[in-house]
Amino acid sequence: DAGVTQSPTHLIKTRGQQVTLRCSPKSGHDTVSWYQQALGQGPQFIFQYYEEEERQRGNFPDRFSGHQFPNYSSELNVNALLLGDSALYLCASSIGLAGAGETQYFGPGTRLLVL
Amino acid sequence: EDQVTQSPEALRLQEGESSSLNCSYTVSGLRGLFWYRQDPGKGPEFLFTLYSAGEEKEKERLKATLTKKESFLHITAPKPEDSATYLCAVASGNTGKLIFGQGTTLQVKP
């Protein structure tokens, strides 16, 4: 049973550039959530996708956008990169429109470094 | 505002020395409390989900408990391979987001 997968594993960008990160959910899961984790901190919720729509959003600017495809995989796009966007970006998958405490399973993350 | 606080921030134990990690939370309508283990540079690995006060769950040397205000992760006779950061998170209300604490970094020395 394949778990959550993310690509790429590492990425280096310069300020002002744009980046796209990808996620495939665990088999049988249809909801994808994205989190940003700065060094030494707990993950911070960015947004959640279900049925190809953004359902929830955290306190992140519009530079952060996403998409979910019919096969439930998802992309996270970040425009106009800032140095402060350097972090580990985590994708988590779960079943159904979360609201009843479904467990979220995380992927290995994409380490983004902005120079 | 929903909030999760973990203590201590760091914990050093000798192999075999049992201890507990604390997760205090303030949420409007707890939908679930989650414990994850995270190794350096990797994604969080799911450990437990607790839904109501009084609930307990066990896995090998780990036992998680839940009250109305906090959760404990008890580690019995830890081994060096238990060294990791342990994250606590809550889901509240009808939102799908998890709110995480800052984690407790555990180091177990042989």
Side-chain angles (χ1 to χ4, degrees):
Chain A
D1 179 23
V4 180
T5 60
Q6 293 186 243
S7 64
T9 56
H10 295 83
L11 207 51
I12 299 175
K13 293 287 187 178
T14 57
R15 282 178 297 174
Q17 285 189 312
Q18 178 264 344
V19 68
T20 297
L21 311 181
R22 295 176 176 82
C23 170
S24 291
K26 187 177 169 68
S27 178
H29 287 191
D30 55 9
T31 302
V32 172
S33 303
W34 286 92
Y35 293 81
Q36 179 195 67
Q37 187 177 24
L39 205 59
Q41 301 296 317
Q44 297 289 316
F45 177 77
I46 302 175
F47 44 52
Q48 183 181 82
Y49 278 84
Y50 174 73
E51 292 186 339
E52 303 180 47
E53 291 187 14
E54 183 183 294
R55 300 290 181 157
Q56 300 280 345
R57 190 177 183 92
N59 294 325
F60 280 81
D62 292 344
R63 298 187 297 110
F64 290 78
S65 63
H67 188 77
Q68 186 179 34
F69 299 94
N71 66 352
Y72 309 121
S73 67
S74 177
E75 290 182 348
L76 165 65
N77 301 293
V78 187
N79 294 321
L81 284 167
L82 303 174
L83 296 179
D85 294 331
S86 296
L88 181 67
Y89 287 85
L90 296 163
C91 168
S93 74
S94 54
I95 299 173
L97 183 58
E102 292 84 0
T103 298
Q104 295 184 25
Y105 294 86
F106 285 82
T110 294
R111 173 68 66 185
L112 172 66
L113 177 61
V114 183
L115 301 176
Chain B
E1 182 181 343
D2 297 340
Q3 191 170 2
V4 177
T5 302
Q6 292 186 246
S7 62
E9 289 188 9
L11 183 61
R12 290 185 180 182
L13 299 174
Q14 288 296 128
E15 184 172 3
E17 180 186 1
S18 301
S19 187
S20 297
L21 282 53
N22 177 263
C23 172
S24 296
Y25 63 91
T26 305
V27 293
S28 52
L30 181 70
R31 293 286 185 161
L33 185 141
F34 307 85
W35 282 98
Y36 292 88
R37 168 193 170 128
Q38 186 174 30
D39 292 308
K42 297 189 177 182
E45 174 189 347
F46 171 71
L47 294 174
F48 303 109
T49 304
L50 301 168
Y51 290 108
S52 56
E55 190 174 0
E56 300 182 351
K57 288 192 176 175
E58 285 189 72
K59 179 182 179 181
E60 297 180 355
R61 295 177 293 282
L62 301 177
K63 179 180 177 180
T65 62
L66 180 65
T67 73
K68 289 186 178 180
K69 294 183 178 180
E70 57 192 349
S71 177
F72 293 93
L73 184 65
H74 307 278
I75 303 177
T76 302
K79 298 182 178 182
E81 53 262 41
D82 294 323
S83 298
T85 295
Y86 290 85
L87 294 167
C88 171
V90 297
S92 68
N94 288 316
T95 72
K97 68 177 183 180
L98 294 180
I99 301 165
F100 281 85
Q102 78 278 20
T104 293
T105 299
L106 173 65
Q107 183 180 32
V108 182
K109 294 190 173 182

